[in-house]
Amino acid sequence: MIDTQRAFARYETLRAALPAATFPAASKYGQDLSDTVDDFDAYILDAFGVLNRGETAIAGAVKRMAGLRAAGKRLIVLTNAASYTRTGILAKYHRLGFDFGAEEVVSSRDVAFANLPKLEKGLHWAAICAEGDSFNDAPASASLRDFAEFPGLIEHAGGFLFLSTARWKDPDTEALITALAANPRPLVIANPDLVAPREFGLTIEPGMIGHRIAERTNAEVMFFGKPYVNAFSAALARLNGVSRNRIAMVGDTLHTDVLGGAAAGIRTILVTDHGLFAGQDVMPFISSSKIRPDWIVATT
Ligand SMILES: [Mg+2]
């Protein structure tokens, strides 16, 4: 487990590796997304900290989505999540009460899988994943095997695809660093988040491991998801015809949602009460990072 201050400080040490962006001189303030509707025609919504916390829907979020739809707004979910298959993640949102269609959900797993065939062809990937991951949404050409079921893959895999930290322990990071130092191979991070807000606190996510390995080995480490342009391109492709300054990225983090949204040339809304900054005064974090959203709202 890790706290907000340490996660934020780690994000700040990584700024050179994150996209560059410009930010508004000041933010507008509201209670929830309904206060922002005059400014936007479409919302790109982060999931953890905006729609849900772990496996629980954020109070009022389901109703707010219905209200935004009724007001004619277009909605896209853009989540750094790689533990669920496409059908699995959609089933999760429906279980929580949301009505998103398959075409409205883009995950960092989707973005990583879409890019996998463009990487070295014929590579045998070791998938670092949640137990029972089916890979039925992976590209047909990709050869994926569960790292936990085939321990020999640390020596023999052609590359590593990091989907989930659910079964990952600190000594595993050290073992992978040793293996990649001896024999550098590509490492694909399919969830660039450092931490994720769960019901009980913040968990370490694949981005944290990926940056550590990038600093300590010569292996090629590739990140797919927010704040990188690969994720925003996939989401914006679903919003053809909406002008960029009428699209808001809604998220709970400064370094993935707000920084990434600004770098992609769209507007940004920070939700403060449920995610990384829950229980904190967000202003010192904005002042020290200079990552300033267009809007700050308490809740979804
Ligand atoms: Mg989030």
Side-chain angles (χ1 to χ4, degrees):
M1 297 293 286
I2 181 171
D3 65 22
T4 299
Q5 276 74 17
R6 280 178 55 214
F8 177 86
R10 181 62 174 135
Y11 272 121
E12 280 289 274
T13 68
L14 297 170
R15 283 296 282 279
L18 304 179
T22 56
F23 303 96
S27 304
K28 296 184 185 180
Y29 291 85
Q31 173 58 30
D32 60 57
L33 293 179
S34 70
D35 294 321
T36 72
V37 292
D38 289 343
D39 283 7
F40 305 113
D41 298 324
Y43 293 84
I44 301 178
L45 302 139
D46 176 34
F48 277 74
V50 173
L51 301 176
N52 59 287
R53 189 174 176 97
E55 302 298 315
T56 310
I58 283 168
V62 169
K63 210 175 144 199
R64 185 72 54 220
M65 293 306 112
L68 293 176
R69 277 197 203 285
K73 310 300 179 186
R74 291 169 70 181
L75 307 177
I76 298 289
V77 179
L78 178 60
T79 175
N80 279 357
S83 300
Y84 287 92
T85 63
R86 274 197 70 70
T87 43
I89 202 160
L90 205 59
K92 172 182 171 173
Y93 296 140
H94 293 170
R95 197 161 62 236
L96 297 180
F98 297 101
D99 65 350
F100 301 113
E103 72 292 346
E104 292 177 313
V105 177
V106 179
S107 74
S108 55
R109 176 181 173 111
D110 299 334
V111 179
F113 277 169
N115 282 277
L116 223 45
K118 299 174 201 161
L119 306 175
E120 280 182 71
K121 298 246 187 309
L123 222 48
H124 293 281
W125 295 94
I128 301 164
C129 58
E131 193 164 7
D133 196 336
S134 75
F135 313 131
N136 63 16
D137 54 340
S141 61
S143 162
L144 295 173
R145 294 173 93 186
D146 184 336
F147 181 71
E149 284 179 26
F150 299 94
L153 287 173
I154 197 162
E155 310 285 339
H156 306 299
F160 297 85
L161 171 64
F162 212 131
L163 296 164
S164 171
T165 53
R167 292 183 287 177
W168 196 254
K169 305 277 187 297
D170 285 343
D172 298 326
T173 302
E174 291 306 312
L176 189 52
I177 286 170
T178 302
L180 290 176
N183 175 15
R185 286 157 287 169
L187 170 63
V188 170
I189 302 296
N191 174 356
D193 282 356
L194 302 187
V195 295
R198 315 272 175 182
E199 289 88 340
F200 47 83
L202 300 173
T203 51
I204 299 286
E205 296 301 315
M208 186 76 85
I209 315 297
H211 286 292
R212 192 174 300 159
I213 290 174
E215 287 171 348
R216 291 187 46 196
T217 73
N218 291 321
E220 185 185 6
V221 183
M222 288 161 280
F223 295 85
F224 294 101
K226 297 172 291 181
Y228 304 98
V229 68
N230 49 50
F232 285 90
S233 298
L236 289 168
R238 318 273 177 111
L239 292 173
N240 269 334
V242 186
S243 102
R244 298 256 169 141
N245 65 3
R246 297 286 299 172
I247 302 174
M249 175 68 219
V250 185
D252 68 298
T253 73
L254 293 171
H255 291 87
T256 59
D257 303 311
V258 176
L259 177 65
I266 60 175
R267 306 295 182 201
T268 59
I269 302 174
L270 183 72
V271 177
T272 56
D273 283 8
H274 311 292
L276 184 60
F277 299 112
Q280 309 274 332
D281 175 7
V282 74
M283 297 319 292
F285 296 104
I286 291 175
S287 302
S288 69
S289 66
K290 299 184 173 62
I291 301 174
R292 192 175 298 283
D294 292 278
W295 277 88
I296 300 172
V297 297
T299 188
T300 307

